[in-house]
């Protein structure tokens, strides 16, 4: 094994050690946490999958979606509607005087159907949207603006269609069941969520380290050159957009069932920009960074909003400024740079010693 390969192995091992440490901590968390903290960490697990989904799109292809919570919301709302049909017409419809639900809702009353329909709709919507945008060469800032507008439209649609979506109040009392017939205990459900996070993590690591992942990075760096070499860049972007949307929909499903609630605040502009901050803090283009950034921001929000309720938004703003000006590569990105520079300096000194000899 030559020196460059040895450096690569050491570089990978650092990220792997961090990942293993984080997942071991998450596995042990229920042992020393109360029910309230466990509920918060369950929400963080859902957000980690959400961050993974955007990192595939933004970090590896360079497409910053400012409306990614739309897919999060599609997954969550479809499942929530299906679960609310378990006892007949949803309560948010009967409270408005409706005694009959739309026909599609009865189709979603089957829990496995609702689960897979949520993922399928996310993929189809992303495929149609991606085919339209990428075939028209919509990239960079214009892609961000269009997805930003999409998030606002979707949020307003959820609020205004109260009969079908629960409106501004959202959908509540969503059971922790997935495919089970009875509610799953909170601690057991936490480990189900953790298992799903680990599976998505392994999938993302495999995808980004494969030949396909390298092509995505090459498309990000120079799309015209990849097209010159015979790669159909548009197809690659459409496929990764679909994968990203399906994972975001899965995160929405996890969130709705674990938190027993989904509302407009979880699917609009605020949620879409929040995940961007998580990735910026942890380091985009890095699955490890997505995990760290999400955990740091989620727990900072929880702790500071409890202790310093009136000042949390100011702290949040300062955190964003610190990231932009002091650690533009994110926590993990800066760590990687520091390790690389340290090793480069060591190699330089060793070379100088050998030359003197």
């Amino acid at each position: 094994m030559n020196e460059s390969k040895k450096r690569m192995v050491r570089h990978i091992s650092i990220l792997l050690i961090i990942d293993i440490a984080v997942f071991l901590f998450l596995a042990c968390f229920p042992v020393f946490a109360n029910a309230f903290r466990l509920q918060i960490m369950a929400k963080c697990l859902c957000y980690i999958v959400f961050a993974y989904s955007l990192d595939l799109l933004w970090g590896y292809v360079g497409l910053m979606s400012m409306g990614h919570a739309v897919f999060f919301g599609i997954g969550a709302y479809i499942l929530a509607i299906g679960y609310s049909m378990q006892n007949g017409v949803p309560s948010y419809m009967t409270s408005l005087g409706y005694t009959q639900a739309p026909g599609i809702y009865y189709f979603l009353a089957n829990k496995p159907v609702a689960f897979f329909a949520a993922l399928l709709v996310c993929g189809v919507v992303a495929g149609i949207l991606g085919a339209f945008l990428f075939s028209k060469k919509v990239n960079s800032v214009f892609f961000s603006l269009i997805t930003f507008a999409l998030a606002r439209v979707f949020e307003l649609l959820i609020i205004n269609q109260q009969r079908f979506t629960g409106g501004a109040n959202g959908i509540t009392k969503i059971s922790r069941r997935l495919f089970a017939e009875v509610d799953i205990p909170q601690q057991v459900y936490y480990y189900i969520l953790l298992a799903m996070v680990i599976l998505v993590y392994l999938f993302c690591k495999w995808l980004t380290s494969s030949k396909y992942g390298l092509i995505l990075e090459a498309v990000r760096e120079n799309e015209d050159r990849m097209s010159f070499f015979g790669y159909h860049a548009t197809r690659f972007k459409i496929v990764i957009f679909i994968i990203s949307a399906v994972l975001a929909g899965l995160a929405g499903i996890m969130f709705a069932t674990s938190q027993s609630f989904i509302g407009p605040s979880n699917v609009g502009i605020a949620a879409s920009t929040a995940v961007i901050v998580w990735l910026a803090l942890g380091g985009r283009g890095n699955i490890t960074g997505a995990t760290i950034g999400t955990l740091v921001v989620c727990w900072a929000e929880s702790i500071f909003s409890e202790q310093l309720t009136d000042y949390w938004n100011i702290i949040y703003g300062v955190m964003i400024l610190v990231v932009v000006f002091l650690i533009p590569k994110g926590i993990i990105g800066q760590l990687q740079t520091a390790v690389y520079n340290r090793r480069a300096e060591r190699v330089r000194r060793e070379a100088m010693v050998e030359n003197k000899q």
Side-chain angles (χ1 to χ4, degrees):
M1 184 181 293
N2 58 36
E3 187 62 28
S4 62
K5 289 185 177 179
K6 289 180 180 179
R7 290 177 202 163
M8 184 179 297
V9 169
R10 288 196 294 265
H11 171 71
I12 294 173
S13 65
I14 292 174
L15 298 183
L16 185 60
I17 289 171
I18 294 174
D19 291 333
I20 292 174
V22 169
F23 286 127
L24 284 176
F25 168 75
L26 293 174
C28 297
F29 187 80
V31 176
F32 54 83
N34 57 33
F36 175 69
R37 296 300 178 190
L38 192 61
Q39 185 78 355
I40 294 175
M41 186 59 86
K43 179 173 67 174
C44 291
L45 293 180
C46 305
Y47 285 157
I48 287 173
V49 174
F50 187 29
Y52 288 165
S53 71
L54 182 59
D55 198 29
L56 291 179
L57 189 64
W58 184 28
Y60 290 90
V61 191
L63 294 170
M64 186 179 72
S65 172
M66 296 188 69
H68 213 56
V70 169
F71 302 108
F72 183 92
I74 289 174
Y77 266 97
I78 290 178
L79 189 85
I81 289 169
Y83 276 28
S84 65
M85 289 292 296
Q86 299 300 307
N87 299 318
V89 180
S91 58
Y92 58 83
M93 294 186 69
T94 57
S95 64
L96 296 175
Y98 296 100
T99 58
Q100 188 74 15
I104 187 65
Y105 282 22
Y106 294 97
F107 176 74
L108 296 174
N110 184 293
K111 290 190 289 292
V113 169
F115 180 88
F116 290 109
L119 299 181
L120 178 62
V121 172
C122 288
V124 170
V125 171
I128 295 173
L129 182 63
F132 174 76
L133 294 178
F134 301 141
S135 64
K136 301 296 183 181
K137 303 299 181 181
V138 176
N139 292 308
S140 188
V141 65
F142 297 104
F143 176 81
S144 298
L145 290 174
I146 290 173
T147 52
F148 180 85
L150 182 65
R152 183 54 179 165
V153 170
F154 185 73
E155 186 177 7
L156 290 174
L157 181 67
I158 293 295
I159 294 173
N160 294 332
Q161 298 299 317
Q162 186 174 0
R163 171 188 172 184
F164 304 107
T165 64
N169 296 322
I171 301 177
T172 59
K173 299 180 180 179
I174 304 169
S175 57
R176 265 196 318 264
R177 293 184 182 181
L178 284 181
F179 301 150
E181 295 299 325
V182 295
D183 282 2
I184 302 172
Q186 183 186 33
Q187 189 165 337
V188 175
Y189 202 75
Y190 172 87
Y191 283 110
I192 293 175
L193 294 176
L194 180 58
M196 296 172 74
V197 171
I198 294 174
L199 289 175
V200 174
Y201 163 83
L202 292 174
F203 169 76
C204 291
K205 293 292 283 187
W206 167 80
L207 181 66
T208 55
S209 60
S210 66
K211 179 182 177 181
Y212 187 84
L214 295 176
I215 293 174
L216 292 177
E217 292 187 54
V219 170
R220 178 192 65 194
E221 297 301 325
N222 196 321
E223 183 176 340
D224 291 335
R225 181 177 296 176
M226 292 301 293
S227 299
F228 177 78
F229 287 142
Y231 290 93
H232 201 302
T234 299
R235 293 177 183 173
F236 282 97
K237 291 194 290 185
I238 292 173
V239 171
I240 198 62
F241 193 25
I242 293 173
I243 294 174
S244 175
V246 170
L247 291 181
L250 177 62
I253 290 172
M254 294 166 60
F255 179 88
T257 52
S258 65
Q259 303 302 304
S260 300
F261 168 78
I262 186 67
S265 61
N266 305 120
V267 304
I269 294 174
S272 296
T273 52
V275 66
I276 293 175
V277 175
W278 306 340
L279 290 179
L281 178 63
R284 65 186 178 96
N286 190 307
I287 302 301
T288 304
T291 306
I292 297 299
T294 303
L295 288 174
V296 169
V297 176
C298 285
W299 277 100
E301 179 181 7
S302 174
I303 294 171
F304 286 122
S305 61
E306 290 174 14
Q307 304 297 329
L308 303 168
T309 306
D310 296 334
Y311 303 100
W312 160 240
N313 287 329
I314 297 176
I315 296 172
Y316 192 57
V318 171
M319 185 184 299
I320 295 173
L321 292 175
V322 168
V323 170
V324 172
F325 291 106
L326 300 182
I327 49 173
K329 295 182 180 179
I331 296 173
I332 300 300
Q334 292 297 122
L335 176 63
Q336 287 178 305
T337 301
V339 171
Y340 175 81
N341 290 339
R342 182 178 178 181
R343 288 174 178 167
E345 179 64 21
R346 184 177 61 188
V347 170
R348 187 183 68 82
R349 289 178 179 177
E350 291 175 354
M352 290 177 63
V353 171
E354 290 178 0
N355 292 333
K356 288 181 180 180
Q357 294 176 349

